[in-house]
Structure formats: C-alpha cells, structure tokens
Amino acid sequence: MKLLLRSSVILLLAVTTPASPEPIRLLGSSDFEWQTTPEGVAFAALQGDRFVEPYQALVRLPAGTVSPPHVKTANMFGVMLEGEMIHYRSGDASETARRIGPGSFYSIAAGTAHISACVSEIPCIAYLYQDGAFDFLPVTP
C-alpha cells in the first residue's frame, strides 16, 4: 500500500510539475533571434512565449521611439543594457521623467497607464521579465 501511494505521488508530481529549465544555458549575442514588430521594436525570447505566459526577453527600441499611452495586464520588470529610456505615467510631462541608462532597473505595475520612450541617439536594449503574458492595451490620454 505504501509503495502504491508513493508511486502515485511520484507520478502525480511528474505529470503536474513543469519541465525544469536546462541546468546551464549560455547564449552569446549572436544566438539571439530577434523578431521585429511593424513599429520597429524587436524582441529576442529568452524564456517562455511572451504572448501566452510569463516570459523573459530582450527588447530593442530604435532611437527616438515613443510609445502611445498604454497599459499592460501583467507587472513588468526591466534592466537597461544600452541606450537611455524614460517611462512615465500617462498625463505626466515627459520633460520631468527620469532618464535611465545601462545598469538601471525599472518596474511598471500592471494596469498603470504609461508611456515609454528611447531618448538616446542609439537604440535602447533592455532585459525584460513580465509575470504574465505580454499585451499592449492603448489608452486615451
């Protein structure tokens, strides 16, 4: 009976536990597969499908890119790698937004109407983690 119970628990765990990530995964910059949106923003998937589940990715915005006001239904966390960006609440003045560059961290809470902009003369690249699927829901200012 104990053996049957133990076997059932092991089987249940094997069926319900998602596959664990590779023990070690190393990607060089030439390994990234960038997918560019019609707006010119590119994403390189690191883990997860950004349209279905929580994900990690690199994002590259052309210099001068300014998003329209929008919200996301998941929390977003980022670390700047190249360029300088601003992120500010819709309705606030862009001139007072803090510029962040390489090594800087940012987070944008789910449901926060905001604008993001690459304000440097070079493209902006950031590491992103979102705790839910990616979406981009425009809002009126």
Side-chain angles (χ1 to χ4, degrees):
M1 182 68 164
K2 286 184 182 180
L3 179 58
L4 179 60
L5 181 59
R6 191 175 313 143
S7 298
S8 297
V9 170
I10 291 171
L11 180 59
L12 180 63
L13 287 172
V15 171
T16 60
T17 304
S20 56
E22 301 169 44
I24 296 176
R25 183 172 179 220
L26 304 173
L27 297 174
S29 58
S30 63
D31 296 321
F32 301 136
E33 295 179 22
W34 293 94
Q35 296 179 344
T36 304
T37 69
E39 299 79 23
V41 176
F43 289 87
L46 300 174
Q47 183 178 18
D49 179 340
R50 77 179 192 270
F51 295 112
V52 176
E53 61 192 339
Y55 71 94
Q56 297 178 68
L58 296 179
V59 63
R60 181 177 59 215
L61 293 86
T65 299
V66 179
S67 75
H70 65 285
V71 298
K72 297 181 184 311
T73 56
N75 297 300
M76 176 173 278
F77 307 90
V79 176
M80 291 297 301
L81 302 173
E82 292 182 20
E84 288 188 323
M85 291 190 75
I86 57 175
H87 301 277
Y88 56 98
R89 293 176 69 112
S90 182
D92 290 352
S94 62
E95 298 79 23
T96 59
R98 182 176 179 184
R99 293 172 74 113
I100 57 171
S104 300
F105 169 81
Y106 64 92
S107 65
I108 302 170
T112 302
H114 68 282
I115 297 165
S116 298
C118 177
V119 294
S120 56
E121 294 182 12
I122 63 170
C124 292
I125 299 177
Y127 160 82
L128 294 180
Y129 167 71
Q130 218 171 335
D131 61 5
F134 174 89
D135 55 9
F136 186 100
L137 307 170
V139 297
T140 52

